[in-house]
Structure formats: C-alpha cells, structure tokens
Amino acid sequence: MKIVHVVGARPNYMKIAPILTAVARAGFATQKLVHTGQHYDPSMSEVFFRDLGMPAPDVHLGVGSGSHAEQTAKVMVGFEKLCQEERPDLVVVAGDVNSTMACAIDCAKLRIPCAHVEAGLRSFDLDMPEEVNRLVTDRLCDLLLTPSADGDENLLKEGTAPERIFRVGNVMIDTLLQHLPKARATGAPARLGLTPGGYAVLTLHRPSNVDDPRVLGGLLGAIAEIQATLPVVFPVHPRTRQRLAALTGGPRLEALPGLKLCEPLGYLEFLGLTSQAKLVLTDSGGLQEETTALGIPCLTLRENTERPVTITEGTNTLVGTSPEKVLAAAREALAGRGKAGRTPALWDGKAAERIAEIFRTWRPLRP
Ligand code: UD1
C-alpha cells in the first residue's frame, strides 16, 4: 500500500506527524510526505519539522501565498501531477486549510481514496474560509476521521453514509502528550523574562479579527488593560504583523510594558509557554483544543467555534470580540475563576494508532 500525506500550513504538521509514525510502526505501507508550501517562512514551517522530529518532505510544491483561488488552484495543479506520477492507494489530508480542500478535490477527480483527519467540525459560519474548506473536503473524502462525537453528528445530519465515519479522537493531542516533557524543558517562559503561571499568551490571526482595523484596535485595547495586571506574550503571525504595521487606531503597542511581542514560535517553545500560562486568549482552532488538554483556561476571541466540545467539556469560553466582554472574562480568570474542565473521550494520545489500524484494514467501497 502506498500512502501520500499532505501538509501545507502550520496547523497541519502536528496532525500528520503522529500518523506518519504510527503507520511506519505498523509496517503495512510505504509513505510519502508532500508539503504544498502554503506556509513557507522558516518560523511557520521548518521549525515544526525539527521540533516534531518529522522527516523532510519528499516533495515540495512551493505554492506560496496568493488569493484563495490562486493558492487553491496552484495546489490542485501541483498535486494532480504528483498523484498521476505516484498513483497512491490512499491520500491523507488534515484540518481545514486551503491545501486540504485542494488535494481532496484532486483525489475525488482522480478517483484516489482520500482520508480526512479532523473531519466533521463545523462553525456554521460561511464567512470563515475554513468552513468552506471543511464542507467540501468532507463531502468528497472516503474516510472521515472525527475527533469527537459532534463531528459524527454534523456529518450524519448532512447525509453522510455512516460507514465513511470513524471516530478516532484527536491526533493533535497525541503530539501534545508526546512532546510535553520536552516542551517544558525549553524554559520558554524564563527566556522571555516570565514566571511560570504568571503570564497570559495571546494569538490572533483570523481574517475576521485582524483584517478589520476596528476589531483589531478594539481587541488590542482590551489587551492593553490586561497587560497592566498580568504580562501578556504575543507571538505575531505574519498576516497579523502586516495588519499591525498598517493599523492607525488602537493603543501604541511599544508603549505597553507588560506586552511582549515576538516572532511566531516553534512547536516546543510555544507549547512550553502555553502549558505554563495562567490564561490563553486566542482565535486559533487548535489552541482551543490544546488548552483543554492542558487544563489551562482559554478565552476564544470569536463569535463561534467549530470545536464545541472544548466548551461543553473543556476549559474554553467563547467570549466574542467586544473589548468589554474580553476584559470581563479575563478578570474572572485572573481572579482564579477561570474555567476548569476535563479532557474529552479519545483525546488520549492513541488517535494515530487507531487511524493506522483503519488504514491497514480499510478497503474502498466503490468498485
Ligand atoms: C492559514 C489557514 C488558517 C490557519 C492558518 C494558520 C486557510 C484558508 N487559512 O491562514 O485556517 O488557521 O493558516 O496559520 O488555509 N505569510 C507569510 N509567511 C508564511 C505564510 C503566510 O508571510 O509562511 C503571510 C502572507 O502574506 C499571506 C498571509 O500571511 O498572504 C496569509 O497566509 P495564508 O496561508 O493565506 O493564510 P493564513 O492567515 O496563514
């Protein structure tokens, strides 16, 4: 059996890494790793391969940035060619980025079985490009590997045949549990002049938050208040850095002594930081799950989430983007009334093993 795995952007690496390992260990397939090049800065790509101990990609499509159509189309053209040369028995895509959807479309047209890792998540918000990617990918993939029961329910409601759905748990948590000791050993808080348990971590990169200067300015206003009480470390995504440079309203960030801006961090340093934070504020999808697994209170700066189990079971609170609400929720957390939670079922470090076993035994339903 020949399996081709696809990664394209930062959140993909930690989802594919444990599957590569589990399949290699099970020894039933040859594997190739393809990087589409959607993310290309060393801090958004190479550092993760190093930190996660992933093999270098066998093929790099080098698509880079562009409009959604440009980026999707470039991945489709490059990956189609690769599939025609390699003729894989199975392609594995993960998450909800443009590369994920582009490769799923190629596979559907070429009639190559495709597995979607992290299937079934829905924000029900078509303003998010990721929601379009999720819908298209899940409609087309043969194997839908879901992280939690809500994923199964969403797929079934859309009319998906139950035999395409496999609840395997959360592969990102496999990676987290495996790397936590090493991440803590990086001493990331001390390197940034912070005391474990004595700071908050902030990430912002969603277009809905950073592309609108009023929303971005408002959120930074709330952060300006929080940093006066608790230091806030803010690794800045390239998209956000561009928007900050162009922002005219909002507080002057360099005048805020408690706010520490830095470049995007690698996997181990970032996990070292979040795992010892008092509080996380974010619009990331993955971080909502990681904080739930770590038991760290998380305030999600969005109006919706495709990861509701982090709210019903985990440490996540959906706060929205109004500065007053962000501040009120942060004050609660700082007063020690942050949300406690439990880890959802099957977020146990063994999701990749379950996926490898499914790949080993699965046979296409179609002739
Ligand atoms: C993408 C994903 C998003 C994911 C995020 C994680 C889509 C639609 N979005 O958003 O779901 O949460 O990755 O980071 O696939 N840039 C660089 N260097 C890079 C990559 C990007 O400078 O290595 C800059 C470019 O100016 C680019 C912009 O960031 O135009 C946005 O990059 P893009 O890949 O389009 O989307 P992300 O915002 O990163």
Side-chain angles (χ1 to χ4, degrees):
M1 186 178 191
K2 187 186 220 178
I3 302 182
V4 167
H5 302 264
V6 178
V7 293
R10 188 166 62 174
N12 291 155
Y13 315 125
M14 41 288 217
K15 294 169 193 167
I16 294 295
I19 303 176
L20 280 168
T21 307
V23 170
R25 204 170 280 155
F28 62 90
T30 60
Q31 308 191 81
K32 284 221 160 151
L33 180 61
V34 176
H35 195 319
T36 66
Q38 175 172 345
H39 282 172
Y40 44 86
D41 282 357
S43 64
M44 302 293 283
S45 184
E46 271 159 53
V47 62
F48 288 85
F49 281 77
R50 240 190 351 263
D51 280 2
L52 299 173
M54 278 174 97
D58 298 288
V59 184
H60 206 292
L61 301 179
V63 302
S65 299
S67 73
H68 284 269
E70 282 166 344
Q71 196 170 56
T72 306
K74 280 191 197 158
V75 176
M76 281 183 69
V77 171
F79 192 66
E80 180 185 55
K81 205 171 282 162
L82 179 129
C83 284
Q84 281 162 339
E85 284 160 17
E86 294 285 340
R87 304 299 320 168
D89 300 298
L90 181 68
V91 168
V92 183
V93 298
D96 55 17
V97 302
N98 286 343
S99 301
T100 310
M101 177 184 72
C103 295
I105 297 174
D106 276 335
C107 289
K109 298 273 178 102
L110 294 167
R111 311 303 286 148
I112 296 170
C114 188
H116 183 207
V117 177
E118 200 185 88
L121 302 191
R122 296 289 180 269
S123 66
F124 305 101
D125 175 4
L126 285 171
D127 284 337
M128 281 182 89
E130 292 84 358
E131 184 71 354
V132 178
N133 295 342
R134 292 181 199 114
L135 285 165
V136 174
T137 303
D138 283 342
R139 182 68 188 82
L140 296 178
C141 280
D142 303 78
L143 282 151
L144 301 172
L145 306 161
T146 63
S148 45
D150 54 290
D152 300 37
E153 284 157 24
N154 292 332
L155 291 167
L156 291 170
K157 271 190 217 146
E158 290 170 8
T160 309
E163 54 272 25
R164 285 168 60 211
I165 305 171
F166 301 84
R167 193 180 322 155
V168 292
N170 194 327
V171 278
M172 251 193 16
I173 306 306
D174 289 14
T175 300
L176 181 147
L177 295 175
Q178 188 198 334
H179 288 91
L180 193 54
K182 255 198 254 166
R184 284 178 176 264
T186 59
R191 211 175 61 79
L192 289 159
L194 302 162
T195 329
Y199 59 90
V201 175
L202 168 70
T203 80
L204 284 177
H205 77 283
R206 293 264 156 238
S208 55
N209 280 342
V210 303
D211 289 0
D212 182 338
R214 272 172 318 162
V215 178
L216 183 58
L219 285 171
L220 293 173
I223 299 302
E225 300 271 332
I226 296 168
Q227 61 84 43
T229 316
L230 184 75
V232 177
V233 50
F234 181 15
V236 185
H237 184 283
R239 173 193 282 278
T240 312
R241 188 163 290 283
Q242 291 166 11
R243 301 300 182 262
L244 288 177
L247 192 69
T248 43
R252 273 188 46 241
L253 300 187
E254 54 289 0
L256 304 175
L259 181 65
K260 291 175 191 296
L261 276 76
C262 62
E263 291 300 310
L265 299 173
Y267 184 77
L268 292 175
E269 279 219 298
F270 189 67
L271 178 58
L273 210 55
T274 51
S275 63
Q276 298 172 85
K278 187 172 178 65
L279 175 67
V280 170
L281 302 105
T282 190
D283 59 10
S284 147
L287 203 39
Q288 295 173 54
E289 297 181 339
E290 289 167 339
T291 45
T292 274
L294 292 165
I296 308 276
C298 176
L299 305 183
T300 294
L301 311 178
R302 287 173 46 187
E303 304 300 337
N304 54 51
T305 178
E306 60 289 331
R307 292 163 161 93
V309 72
T310 60
I311 296 176
T312 53
E313 297 188 29
T315 58
N316 190 17
T317 308
L318 199 59
V319 186
T321 55
S322 121
E324 298 73 34
K325 286 194 184 144
V326 175
L327 259 182
R331 286 205 183 104
E332 281 294 295
L334 297 191
R337 291 189 291 271
K339 201 165 157 194
R342 63 186 147 93
T343 306
L346 301 180
W347 293 24
D348 58 358
K350 299 198 167 95
E353 262 173 54
R354 288 188 279 270
I355 290 174
E357 184 53 17
I358 291 165
F359 290 171
R360 193 179 68 77
T361 52
W362 183 80
R363 294 291 168 270
L365 299 173
R366 58 189 178 218

